[in-house]
Amino acid sequence: SAVISQKPSRDICQRGTSLTIQCQVDSQVTMMFWYRQQPGQSLTLIATANQGSEATYESGFVIDKFPISRPNLTFSTLTVSNMSPEDSSIYLCSVPWGAPTEAFFGQGTRLTVV
Amino acid sequence: LAKTTQPISMDSYEGQEVNITCSHNNIATNDYITWYQQFPSQGPRFIIQGYKTKVTNEVASLFIPADRKSSTLSLPRVSLSDTAVYYCLVGPLGGYQKVTFGTGTKLQVIP
């Protein structure tokens, strides 16, 4: 199994500012995924972060709004830029593991934008 | 990835067996069926995965009929701690693929 640590666990931010979320994994992994979960909703994939290359973004998500870094095989960051109240969500990182579509998830970062 | 359809919510009393059915009519030949569990304020947790027939582990059983167009997650004798959202999803073989979540089923266990 993999242990994933996310920081911060929660934050309250002013609109117009940016927040960087960190994801640390206790094992080396090739791919890491970032998800958003809006209140009462399911998870939506934001992007795939590969070490050594630019992140691949899903439809509706752009690099200027959600820049991602992947400096090594155990760490990634997601920045939520120029925040608005609509960005209030839980953000989760995830790593693949074992069987197809099996993945471990971090505890999430609960972001509130005021 | 094949789209899945699940009931939005279910209620069950403690001690009962709970069956949550997922429809995936467009499942492909190389797709596996996977279920996740998510407690409030936590990330999803992998529960069980299968390709056909029946799979059982310490947490749940997964029943998949021959046509694989649906699957049923069975939770034996649920307790209050099983209150969570349960997600069904399908995905292909051949290395890791991105995990796409559907709406999920919110299970409320009642004392």
Side-chain angles (χ1 to χ4, degrees):
Chain A
S1 65
V3 177
I4 303 173
S5 301
Q6 273 188 244
K7 292 182 181 179
S9 58
R10 59 178 61 227
D11 206 343
I12 301 173
C13 301
Q14 297 290 324
R15 67 176 67 200
T17 63
S18 298
L19 175 71
T20 296
I21 302 167
Q22 300 179 3
C23 180
Q24 179 75 51
V25 187
D26 68 345
S27 305
Q28 292 187 339
V29 292
T30 304
M31 301 167 74
M32 295 177 73
F33 296 86
W34 287 96
Y35 289 83
R36 180 176 73 183
Q37 187 169 30
Q38 294 176 303
Q41 302 297 314
S42 181
L43 286 80
T44 301
L45 181 64
I46 298 172
T48 302
N50 295 309
Q51 197 272 332
S53 64
E54 286 198 4
T56 303
Y57 289 82
E58 298 298 308
S59 176
F61 298 96
V62 295
I63 187 171
D64 290 346
K65 177 67 174 178
F66 297 101
I68 288 171
S69 77
R70 184 79 202 276
N72 57 54
L73 292 174
T74 64
F75 188 78
S76 178
T77 66
L78 170 76
T79 299
V80 186
S81 304
N82 188 26
M83 288 184 286
S84 67
E86 291 71 35
D87 294 319
S88 297
S89 294
I90 298 173
Y91 293 86
L92 302 107
C93 67
S94 168
V95 300
W97 203 265
T101 65
E102 180 180 0
F104 286 99
F105 286 79
Q107 293 288 78
T109 296
R110 183 180 295 273
L111 170 62
T112 302
V113 183
V114 298
Chain B
L1 297 176
K3 183 177 179 178
T4 60
T5 303
Q6 309 172 229
I8 294 175
S9 64
M10 296 179 67
D11 291 338
S12 176
Y13 288 101
E14 274 191 295
Q16 289 189 331
E17 178 184 73
V18 171
N19 295 308
I20 306 174
T21 298
C22 178
S23 172
H24 28 79
N25 291 319
N26 296 321
I27 190 169
T29 302
N30 60 347
D31 282 343
Y32 272 79
I33 300 157
T34 308
W35 287 79
Y36 282 81
Q37 174 190 57
Q38 185 179 26
F39 298 115
S41 301
Q42 293 188 24
R45 180 177 75 114
F46 174 93
I47 301 178
I48 196 166
Q49 184 179 77
Y51 184 77
K52 59 181 179 180
T53 63
K54 176 184 175 182
V55 180
T56 298
N57 62 22
E58 66 278 4
V59 176
S61 294
L62 177 60
F63 298 91
I64 305 168
D67 67 4
R68 303 199 330 121
K69 294 183 182 299
S70 67
S71 58
T72 300
L73 176 73
S74 180
L75 305 172
R77 297 181 297 281
V78 294
S79 65
L80 296 176
S81 63
D82 292 314
T83 293
V85 178
Y86 293 83
Y87 294 98
C88 161
L89 55 97
V90 296
L93 297 170
Y96 186 77
Q97 303 289 331
K98 58 186 178 183
V99 180
T100 302
F101 286 81
T103 56
T105 298
K106 185 173 184 178
L107 172 65
Q108 180 69 53
V109 179
I110 306 165

